[in-house]
Amino acid sequence: MKTVLLWLSVLLTTAVFATEQGELHPKLEPLRPYLNQHWQGDLTQPGAQTTVIDRSLWSRALNGQAIKTVHSINDGQYGGESFIFWDENQQSLAYYYFTTAGFYTHGSMTFDTQSGEIIALEQVENNQNGITQVKSFSRIMPDGSLQTKSSYLQNGNWVEGHSATYKPVAQQQIIFK
């Protein structure tokens, strides 16, 4: 009887947790660890005089058919919003990213189950700096931090982009001006 009660308790707890977290499209499930967490990363370049802080939040959207990310650098100096979803025609994760700088990107991503890494390749539209593509890599590390790294196709050449380690932080407002 104790065993039955224990199993019922575990099942009930699991069901309540799943309901609280909300269902996700099955192809989005590998991204669940990123959800409902506020992240903060320092993007300050070595030798720079001003600090560059990026704050973000990933959340479930559109009844679990998408994941929405919102981020803001230096409280609205720059920011953007993304929607990540399963594209049935492409048979891959796809996304659109809209920015406060007036450009947007669209691309696809894969999740490497062995390394736990998200690998994304996106096309950039309307960028004034000649950037036409971005490659990025993201991974939650064993200590719970989120490491990111990117490179840009700018004026026909691949150049190093930014890299950062984001740490989970207490709930904070994502600010746009």
Side-chain angles (χ1 to χ4, degrees):
M1 183 65 162
K2 286 182 184 180
T3 304
V4 170
L5 288 175
L6 178 63
W7 279 109
L8 284 174
S9 174
V10 168
L11 288 174
L12 181 59
T13 302
T14 303
V16 168
F17 178 76
T19 301
E20 287 176 2
Q21 296 295 313
E23 290 184 28
L24 279 177
H25 186 287
K27 298 293 187 173
L28 295 173
E29 278 298 333
L31 303 178
R32 188 177 289 277
Y34 294 83
L35 298 182
N36 303 318
Q37 176 62 62
H38 289 260
W39 301 93
Q40 181 170 304
D42 187 342
L43 301 177
T44 307
Q45 296 295 314
Q49 294 182 352
T50 51
T51 303
V52 180
I53 301 298
D54 188 16
R55 294 185 174 104
S56 68
L57 172 65
W58 294 46
S59 57
R60 178 182 172 271
L62 303 172
N63 293 335
Q65 294 301 306
I67 291 174
K68 179 181 178 180
T69 68
V70 180
H71 84 105
S72 175
I73 294 176
N74 288 352
D75 292 330
Q77 181 180 12
Y78 170 84
E81 295 190 22
S82 299
F83 280 94
I84 304 166
F85 58 95
W86 177 253
D87 185 321
E88 193 64 40
N89 288 337
Q90 300 290 328
Q91 287 292 296
S92 71
L93 292 173
Y95 62 97
Y96 283 87
Y97 170 59
F98 303 95
T99 73
T100 60
F103 69 89
Y104 71 96
T105 73
H106 52 94
S108 62
M109 61 176 60
T110 57
F111 183 80
D112 183 328
T113 54
Q114 294 229 332
S115 68
E117 188 170 54
I118 298 171
I119 303 151
L121 178 62
E122 59 196 274
Q123 303 299 311
V124 180
E125 307 293 340
N126 304 322
N127 181 270
Q128 296 177 353
N129 298 320
I131 297 172
T132 56
Q133 287 186 325
V134 177
K135 284 187 219 177
S136 64
F137 305 88
S138 305
R139 172 186 321 174
I140 293 181
M141 303 307 290
D143 67 357
S145 65
L146 171 61
Q147 284 190 341
T148 65
K149 182 175 129 179
S150 66
S151 58
Y152 309 110
L153 183 60
Q154 184 174 28
N155 300 318
N157 297 309
W158 283 101
V159 296
E160 282 295 311
H162 65 272
S163 62
T165 299
Y166 290 77
K167 298 188 184 221
V169 294
Q171 182 176 344
Q172 55 193 336
Q173 187 176 6
I174 308 298
I175 298 172
F176 289 100
K177 292 182 178 179

